[in-house]
Amino acid sequence: MPNDLESRRAMERPYEAISPFEFKNKLISLARDGEKKGARALLDAGRGNPNWTAATARSAFFALGRHAVRECQRIWEQGDLAGQPKLEGSAQRLRSFVRDHGQEDGVELLGRIFEYGVREHGFSPDAWAHELSDGIIGDNYPLPDRMLLHAEKIVRAYLMREMCDGDAPPGVFNLFAVEGATAAMCYIFDTLAENHLLVRGDKIAVMVPIFPPYVEIPQLHKYDFDVVEIRADGRAPDGSHTWQYPASELDKLRDREIKALFLVNPSNPPSVAMDSA
């Protein structure tokens, strides 16, 4: 009789040749089958088509929008037209809105978000309230163009907490908000090329498996990079896949012709963090 390892490997083989998206769809199908048999709902957290929304956060978002429209109408209102939010007194008006509409969906959370910025980050109340109102109205180009000043500090604090266990490394991370990770990869490649740090045809390394466009982008004609794949082929003693990078794969990076290494950690789609060892 085959042992457990042989049985598992036989079960795994049909999936080795399919794409990560096909594998994801199979996992979702299995999870939905389990959902029918159990009492818990399946929450699909996939970026593409999640089956849930964060209602509380969205309520706060739309509450801020209602307040911001009032800020515009306070300056000028003529039919469907209104002015633009103004800085002076904006904190007092936001606090008044929270006080007067505290029973409406999302308003209490909006108030806590505003007070968090003032209390934890020392933001100027008026400047912070104005950035929130003006930002959600979207009536002008942001300045600086990489990310709004107060929002950047809050996002940076979140990243330090989640990715560095609150122990931020020295220096300051300047954040640049983009449309998504694929756009970020394009911007990174373009920036490296424009600054002549990479030129067309250079050899680069990419740790795989990875979101397919991240492998396909460097192969486009405008880059035509020579891509070396560093494969997460690691196995546990029982033969199960660990999605770690064995020494034999990491040794590929000893090639001095490799100009850059691109990776996602935790990996995508396996969602496994790289072993610190």
Side-chain angles (χ1 to χ4, degrees), residues 181-201:
T182 300
M185 291 295 286
C186 291
Y187 294 146
I188 290 171
F189 285 131
D190 284 344
T191 299
L192 292 171
E194 290 295 327
N195 288 278
H196 305 289
L197 297 173
L198 287 179
V199 298
R200 188 169 179 270

Side-chain angles (χ1 to χ4, degrees), residues 6-7 11 39 55 70-71 106 137 141 143 149 184 190 195 222 233 247 255 263 273:
E6 291 173 342
S7 298
M11 182 177 63
R70 296 183 185 192
E71 284 286 275
I137 287 296
Y141 289 112
L143 185 70
L149 291 173
D190 284 344
N195 288 278
K222 65 183 295 187
D233 290 337
D255 183 351
L263 61 94

Side-chain angles (χ1 to χ4, degrees), residues 163 181 184-185 188-189 204-211 214-215 218 227-232 245 250 253 260-269 272-275:
M163 301 181 69
M185 291 295 286
I188 290 171
F189 285 131
I204 67 169
V206 178
M207 287 187 156
V208 296
I210 198 169
F211 188 48
Y214 303 168
V215 177
V227 178
V228 176
E229 294 186 351
I230 312 298
R231 298 183 173 278
Y245 300 90
L250 295 176
L253 298 175
L261 169 65
F262 296 89
L263 61 94
V264 173
N265 185 35
S267 54
N268 178 0
V272 175
M274 291 177 63
D275 191 336

